[in-house]
Amino acid sequence: EAGVAQSPRYKIIEKRQSVAFWCNPISGHATLYWYQQILGQGPKLLIQFQNNGVVDDSQLPKDRFSAERLKGVDSTLKIQPAKLEDSAVYLCASSLRQGYPGRGEQFFGPGTRLTVL
Amino acid sequence: GQQLNQSPQSMFIQEGEDVSMNCTSSSIFNTWLWYKQDPGEGPVLLIALYKAGELTSNGRLTAQFGITRKDSFLNISASIPSDVGIYFCAGLTSSGNTGKLIFGQGTTLQVKP
């Protein structure tokens, strides 16, 4: 079974530029998550989709970050404009269903390492 | 917001030694998960715990879901060089029909051959 796919793996941009990340979840997984992982910290949830609807975007900086999952499969996360503090690894994860009720183990992709100069 | 306190922050051990790390929180969680992250990769799920008091093993790994539902520990027995990496605990909260995963800060493990 193929895992969660992400691209690109690395991206270097200058502040105030725009950037987009792509994620393709495990086939059949209804729930998709985007996390931000700053160096030395655990992943922090940015946004959670159930099919193509947003379940939780409470920690997404909506003035500069946006995400969509139009057909309920793959997803794009965009930052516009980027700031220095956005330098981090952006992880995509998917699960069969939402975390509760039932077993909502999340499976992660390799991540995109973003450097903002 | 909810936070997980994971300790120790880092460990440097000799190959063959046993390792123990834990995670505590002021909040109750319904599920505890333990992940391992290698450099340049995403976290990989090691063990999932669903019931308070549950003790689960996966090879040389053993994890327990605390009775109070506010803590969990992970043990690695007879460590080997490939155990090197960052180990994260994560607690799953629930609100209605949704769930949110909260991660600890990670424990960096280094194993000396």
Side-chain angles (χ1 to χ4, degrees), chain A residues 9 37 48 98 100-101 105-106, chain B residues 35 37 40 42 50 97-99:
Chain A
R9 292 296 310 272
Q37 185 177 23
Q48 177 181 342
Q98 295 179 75
Y100 183 85
E105 294 95 328
Q106 297 181 23
Chain B
Y35 286 86
Q37 188 173 28
Y50 304 103
N97 198 31
T98 64

Side-chain angles (χ1 to χ4, degrees), chain A residues 52-87:
Chain A
N52 61 350
V54 175
V55 173
D56 184 350
D57 63 357
S58 58
Q59 297 193 88
L60 187 75
K62 299 181 186 64
D63 57 334
R64 299 183 300 105
F65 286 64
S66 64
E68 59 183 12
R69 194 186 184 198
L70 292 176
K71 296 183 179 178
V73 181
D74 54 354
S75 175
T76 303
L77 176 70
K78 296 180 182 177
I79 307 176
Q80 179 179 14
K83 292 186 175 180
L84 296 177
E85 59 260 36
D86 297 333
S87 293

Side-chain angles (χ1 to χ4, degrees), chain B residues 12-28:
Chain B
F12 189 88
I13 63 171
Q14 195 79 31
E15 182 177 1
E17 289 183 349
D18 296 343
V19 172
S20 184
M21 59 191 78
N22 68 77
C23 214
T24 60
S25 172
S26 57
S27 303
I28 289 174

Side-chain angles (χ1 to χ4, degrees), chain B residues 52-97:
Chain B
E54 179 181 354
L55 185 72
T56 297
S57 293
N58 178 8
R60 294 179 295 106
L61 277 60
T62 301
Q64 184 157 29
F65 191 144
I67 290 292
T68 64
R69 294 165 63 194
K70 293 183 178 180
D71 63 323
S72 177
F73 73 74
L74 174 71
N75 287 342
I76 305 173
S77 62
S79 59
I80 58 178
S82 62
D83 290 334
V84 166
I86 304 176
Y87 291 79
F88 290 99
C89 62
L92 187 66
T93 66
S94 64
S95 176
N97 198 31

